[in-house]
């Protein structure tokens, strides 16, 4: 599918979300195909799933950077931490950038 988004803020959000959904969808496709394979082909599908996972995390970071008005959040260190350490890294990331989030005042 070839879609060109307009040069607007809303379109930028749409582009990021579509990219995340595309990566997640491709991960599912790769997972389904890997079940029917073994050896090198299974390894290849696993690498494809890892690639699309990293891509989804990267695009989510980009979207978050736009929404919190701090694109410095998008860097290799944060990407690697999120991909390798999961929820623990996400909690750490949120606490480091807490001042950027619109939060309720208690």
């Amino acid at each position: 599918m070839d879609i060109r988004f307009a040069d607007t803020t809303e379109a930028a959000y749409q582009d990021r979300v579509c990219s995340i959904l595309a990566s997640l969808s491709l991960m599912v496709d790769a997972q389904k195909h890997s079940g029917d394979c073994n050896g090198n082909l299974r390894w290849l599908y696993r690498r494809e799933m890892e690639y699309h996972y990293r891509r989804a995390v990267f695009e989510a970071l980009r979207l978050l950077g736009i929404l919190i008005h701090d694109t410095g959040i998008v860097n290799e260190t944060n990407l690697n931490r999120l991909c390798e350490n999961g929820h623990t890294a996400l909690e750490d990331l949120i606490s480091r950038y807490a001042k950027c989030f619109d939060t309720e005042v208690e």
Side-chain angles (χ1 to χ4, degrees):
M1 173 187 255
D2 185 26
I3 184 170
R4 289 182 178 27
F5 291 93
D7 189 17
T8 65
T9 303
E10 289 297 317
Y13 298 154
Q14 294 166 12
D15 182 26
R16 298 289 175 256
V17 171
C18 285
S19 181
I20 293 166
L21 291 172
S23 287
L24 294 172
S25 298
L26 290 166
M27 280 178 58
V28 171
D29 290 347
Q31 189 222 6
K32 285 181 181 177
H33 293 299
S34 70
D36 300 331
C37 306
N38 56 31
N40 288 338
L41 195 53
R42 183 179 213 128
W43 177 84
L44 181 65
Y45 281 123
R46 180 164 173 78
R47 295 286 296 157
E48 185 177 346
M49 286 188 298
E50 290 171 5
Y51 169 80
H52 289 298
Y53 173 73
R54 285 184 66 83
R55 190 77 196 158
V57 171
F58 175 73
E59 289 297 338
L61 275 174
R62 289 179 71 188
L63 180 58
L64 183 58
I66 292 168
L67 294 172
I68 67 170
H69 307 289
D70 189 345
T71 56
I73 199 169
V74 186
N75 60 54
E76 193 73 23
T77 300
N78 287 340
L79 178 62
N80 288 337
R81 284 181 183 157
L82 287 169
C83 290
E84 293 167 9
N85 300 323
H87 190 260
T88 304
L90 178 61
E91 287 181 350
D92 178 57
L93 185 76
I94 290 171
S95 68
R96 284 188 287 128
Y97 287 89
K99 68 184 181 322
C100 301
F101 290 93
D102 295 330
T103 57
E104 291 183 356
V105 178
E106 295 181 16

